[in-house]
Structures are given as structure tokens and as C-alpha cells.
Amino acid sequence: MVGQGCGELRRCLPELPPDVRAERRAMTSHLMAHVCAERERAPAEDAPTPRAGRHDAATGLIDATVGLWTARVTAPIMGPGGRTTSRKGSRR
């Protein structure tokens, strides 16, 4: 079932290079884990949460995930010594 869901998700997404797809998959996993953990931690510490209820928190998480997956891909450029860098000069 998860495999089928991933296939359907892939069909809805823009074409992404395999390395970008893998990177965004990892980012999505971290985002979901951390948002959920923060959501559970806050009441235990009497801390406020950015959104009032779980449904609203899920909506924010969905919005962030959609933004992550639909963001444009910055094309790499060749840096000194033939190394691939991003447009901002960081190594890729």
C-alpha cells in the first residue's frame, strides 16, 4: 500500500532529478518527524504550539511538504577545479 501511495505521489510531482528526489524524500522524513515530535513535546512542557489543534498542525505540515516537493531546482554550475557548486557557491 505504501508503494502504491508513493507511485501516486510521484505521478503528481514535477519531474525531478533522482538525487534531488532522494534529498527531498529525506527532508520530508525529517520535517514530519520533527514537527510531530515538537507537537507532542509542547504540551508536556506547557509550551505553546504554532497551531491550535492537530488538524491545523497537519494542514501546516502538508503545506510545507507541498512547498518542499514543488520548489524549483537550482541548476548546478561548475566551480573552480571542475567541482559542481550551487549558484550561491556551496558545494553540491
Side-chain angles (χ1 to χ4, degrees), residues 49-84:
T49 57
R51 301 210 182 207
R54 290 180 188 269
H55 184 270
D56 291 340
T59 299
L61 183 56
I62 290 167
D63 289 347
T65 302
V66 169
L68 177 69
W69 280 96
T70 58
R72 122 185 129 74
V73 177
T74 301
I77 58 172
M78 296 307 284
R83 282 183 244 159
T84 304

Side-chain angles (χ1 to χ4, degrees), residues 10 19 22 43 47 65:
R10 210 174 296 121
D19 60 329
T65 302

Side-chain angles (χ1 to χ4, degrees), residues 75-86 89-92:
I77 58 172
M78 296 307 284
R83 282 183 244 159
T84 304
T85 63
S86 73
S90 62
R91 288 187 182 175
R92 180 162 153 83

Side-chain angles (χ1 to χ4, degrees), residues 1-12 21 25:
M1 186 161 177
V2 172
Q4 180 182 0
C6 289
E8 291 299 312
L9 178 63
R10 210 174 296 121
R11 193 174 56 80
C12 298
R21 186 175 294 278
R25 187 179 306 118

